[in-house]
């Protein structure tokens, strides 16, 4: 792969030289872009000599006269790795600044981004850094968490650059994955549905849409075309996906059925089983005393999609309040899906709203596989790797 290695002004900048060499050893072509901060620690000459390629740094540099380097390099890169990423560079990347060469190239590129932060633990804990990391999650960004340990200035905590081998492994895994779903269409339902009671109130659920957003990013990383039919969710969906916003289960079903033929369908949405039989106009007032709400069942969205698109591999998500395989298997048979991904919502460290998840994938053919606890993005990649459309 063509790897653009961005280096920023951390004390760990010297380790980028080893990283460049290891990436080349793994068979990748490497070009380096330095921030002004990085150039205080390491020189362009070092990387030019190591890689045999020109090194970019200034925002207005043009190694080939008349060719805008930021566009040229953005198009060239199959993947961009920013390592080490300073707090400053991380925040600028997260907010979409483009006032130096590195951030401009990243903004101009649609290549997957791998970011390996290195900074003082207090800087890493700063609100604005956390905010930037969340923003980066909206792109197909892999953030390799800094390691815990003793950092310069006598502090201890998460701040050390991830091991070089881990950064190289992230690039390698992107290489393996990137063509895995090339030419395939992945349709994902995500987030909660909302079912109106009157013009003001609705019935909904606790789904954050994080799993759906992670699945969308995972499928994009693996080269798929992605459509997400999303209820009003808080998690940010990747820009490269086609997003169809909906509110109710009926809208979700209609929108998903209207999608072009998918190869894979994943039902990560938490669809309301019931909706109010009637929607009251205006606002129900308190002065009417006790009221009862009559509910009517919604259609089973994922079962209907499996029937609409029999050629696709359809995976239903089953949120179970405990490790209940028998109920999930019965659900799978009822829904007529290819597989069901069970997640245990009784655990607070995984599932609803959490950043991590653990999936148990049961196949209609009888097999099963377990992901173990991973980030939702890693779970998404794992799940898609279990399918062979
Ligand atoms: C000796 C020294 C070491 C530094 N190490 C780090 C670091 O590890 N991480 C970090 O976020 N900032 C570090 N900084 C601060 C950055 O260099 C500074 O915020 C700079 O503006 C970053 O610019 P850049 O992100 O464009 O490279 C360090 C500064 C100095 C003087």
């Amino acid at each position: 792969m063509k790897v653009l290695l961005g280096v920023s002004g951390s004390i760990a900048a010297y380790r980028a030289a080893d990283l460049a060499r290891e990436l080349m050893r793994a068979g990748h072509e490497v070009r380096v872009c330095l921030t002004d901060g990085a150039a205080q620690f390491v020189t362009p000459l070092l990387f030019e000599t190591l890689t045999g390629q020109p090194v970019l740094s200034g925002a207005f540099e043009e190694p080939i006269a008349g060719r805008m380097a930021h566009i040229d390099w953005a198009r060239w890169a199959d993947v961009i790795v920013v390592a080490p990423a300073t707090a400053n560079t991380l925040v600028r990347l997260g907010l979409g600044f483009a006032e130096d060469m590195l951030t401009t190239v990243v903004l101009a590129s649609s290549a997957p981004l791998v970011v390996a932060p290195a900074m003082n633990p207090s800087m890493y804990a700063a609100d604005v850094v956390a905010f930037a990391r969340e923003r980066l999650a909206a792109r197909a960004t892999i953030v390799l968490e800094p390691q815990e340990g003793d950092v310069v200035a006598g502090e201890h905590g998460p701040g050390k650059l991830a091991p070089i081998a881990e950064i190289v492994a992230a690039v390698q895994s992107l290489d393996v994955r990137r063509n895995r779903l090339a030419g395939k269409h992945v349709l994902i339902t995500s987030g909660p549905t909302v079912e109106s009671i009157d013009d003001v109130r609705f019935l909904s659920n606790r789904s954050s849409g994080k799993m759906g957003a992670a699945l969308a990013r995972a499928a994009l990383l693996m080269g798929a075309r992605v459509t997400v039919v999303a209820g009003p969710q808080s998690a940010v969906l990747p820009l490269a996906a086609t997003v169809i916003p909906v509110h109710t289960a009926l809208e979700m079903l209609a929108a998903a059925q209207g999608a072009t033929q998918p190869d894979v369908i994943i039902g990560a949405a938490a669809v309301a089983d019931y909706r109010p039989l009637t929607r009251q106009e205006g606002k129900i007032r308190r002065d009417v005393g006790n009221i009862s709400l009559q509910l009517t069942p919604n259609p089973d969205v994922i079962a209907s999609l499996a029937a609409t698109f029999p050629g696709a591999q359809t995976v239903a998500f089953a949120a179970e309040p405990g490790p209940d395989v028998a109920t999930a298997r019965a659900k799978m048979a009822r829904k007529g899906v290819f597989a069901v991904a069970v997640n245990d919502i009784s655990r607070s460290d995984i599932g609803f709203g959490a950043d991590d998840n653990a999936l148990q994938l049961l196949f209609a053919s009888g097999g099963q596989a377990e992901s173990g606890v991973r980030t939702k993005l890693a779970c998404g990649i794992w799940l898609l790797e279990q399918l062979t459309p």
Side-chain angles (χ1 to χ4, degrees), residues 178-387:
R178 86 189 151 122
N179 291 319
R180 185 115 179 206
L181 292 177
K184 304 289 181 193
H185 179 206
V186 177
L187 173 63
I188 297 165
T189 66
S190 178
T193 61
V194 294
E195 311 289 342
S196 290
I197 298 169
D198 61 14
D199 290 351
V200 181
R201 290 77 167 217
F202 55 75
L203 296 177
S204 191
N205 58 65
R206 296 182 199 282
S207 170
S208 61
K210 282 185 181 174
M211 192 63 230
L215 279 160
R217 286 206 304 284
L220 287 167
L221 278 172
M222 293 165 77
R225 182 164 71 82
V226 177
T227 303
V228 188
V229 181
Q233 62 176 63
S234 54
V236 184
L237 288 159
L239 296 176
T242 302
V243 178
I244 307 174
V246 295
H247 285 91
T248 66
L250 291 174
E251 286 171 11
M252 183 168 275
L253 179 58
Q257 283 178 323
T260 52
Q261 175 69 46
D263 299 286
V264 174
I265 304 171
I266 303 182
V271 182
D273 287 335
Y274 286 91
R275 65 180 185 279
L277 186 59
T278 52
R279 173 189 173 148
Q280 301 255 338
E281 291 217 342
K283 185 178 172 191
I284 300 171
R285 299 284 168 189
R286 199 203 323 243
D287 49 19
V288 297
N290 288 351
I291 57 166
S292 35
L293 202 57
Q294 212 181 345
L295 302 176
T296 186
N298 270 324
D300 186 328
V301 170
I302 199 69
S304 308
L305 291 177
T308 307
F309 299 113
Q313 287 188 342
T314 301
V315 181
F317 264 70
E320 295 296 342
D324 185 354
V325 174
T327 309
R329 281 220 174 267
K331 225 179 218 182
M332 176 160 54
R334 239 183 6 253
K335 290 175 187 285
V337 293
F338 175 76
V340 62
V342 187
N343 59 327
D344 180 351
I345 51 166
S346 66
R347 287 174 55 176
S348 60
D349 57 332
I350 56 172
F352 278 145
D355 291 327
D356 290 341
N357 208 349
L359 300 178
Q360 188 176 27
L361 197 59
L362 309 175
F363 293 95
S365 58
Q368 70 178 69
E370 286 188 27
S371 70
V373 177
R374 309 165 177 232
T375 64
K376 286 187 171 170
L377 178 62
C379 276
I381 291 168
W382 174 85
L383 191 154
L384 288 164
E385 280 176 346
Q386 309 304 307
L387 312 175

Side-chain angles (χ1 to χ4, degrees), residues 7-12 35-38 41 85-89 92 100 118-120 123:
V7 182
S8 58
S10 154
I11 188 80
T35 63
D36 287 348
F41 294 86
T86 59
N88 177 52
T89 290
R92 285 182 303 145
D100 69 356
M119 65 195 70
N120 176 282
M123 289 169 99

Side-chain angles (χ1 to χ4, degrees), residues 117-209:
M119 65 195 70
N120 176 282
S122 317
M123 289 169 99
Y124 197 62
D127 284 358
V128 67
V129 172
F131 176 74
R133 283 171 49 216
E134 271 175 30
R135 298 294 308 162
L136 282 170
R139 280 196 48 155
T141 301
I142 297 174
V143 180
L144 296 171
E145 293 301 320
Q147 303 262 294
E148 184 118 1
D150 293 328
V151 293
V152 185
E155 284 187 42
H156 184 93
K160 291 168 84 80
L161 183 70
I164 300 297
E166 200 178 298
I167 304 172
V168 175
V171 173
Q172 296 289 79
S173 66
L174 275 177
D175 196 12
V176 173
R177 290 176 201 142
R178 86 189 151 122
N179 291 319
R180 185 115 179 206
L181 292 177
K184 304 289 181 193
H185 179 206
V186 177
L187 173 63
I188 297 165
T189 66
S190 178
T193 61
V194 294
E195 311 289 342
S196 290
I197 298 169
D198 61 14
D199 290 351
V200 181
R201 290 77 167 217
F202 55 75
L203 296 177
S204 191
N205 58 65
R206 296 182 199 282
S207 170
S208 61

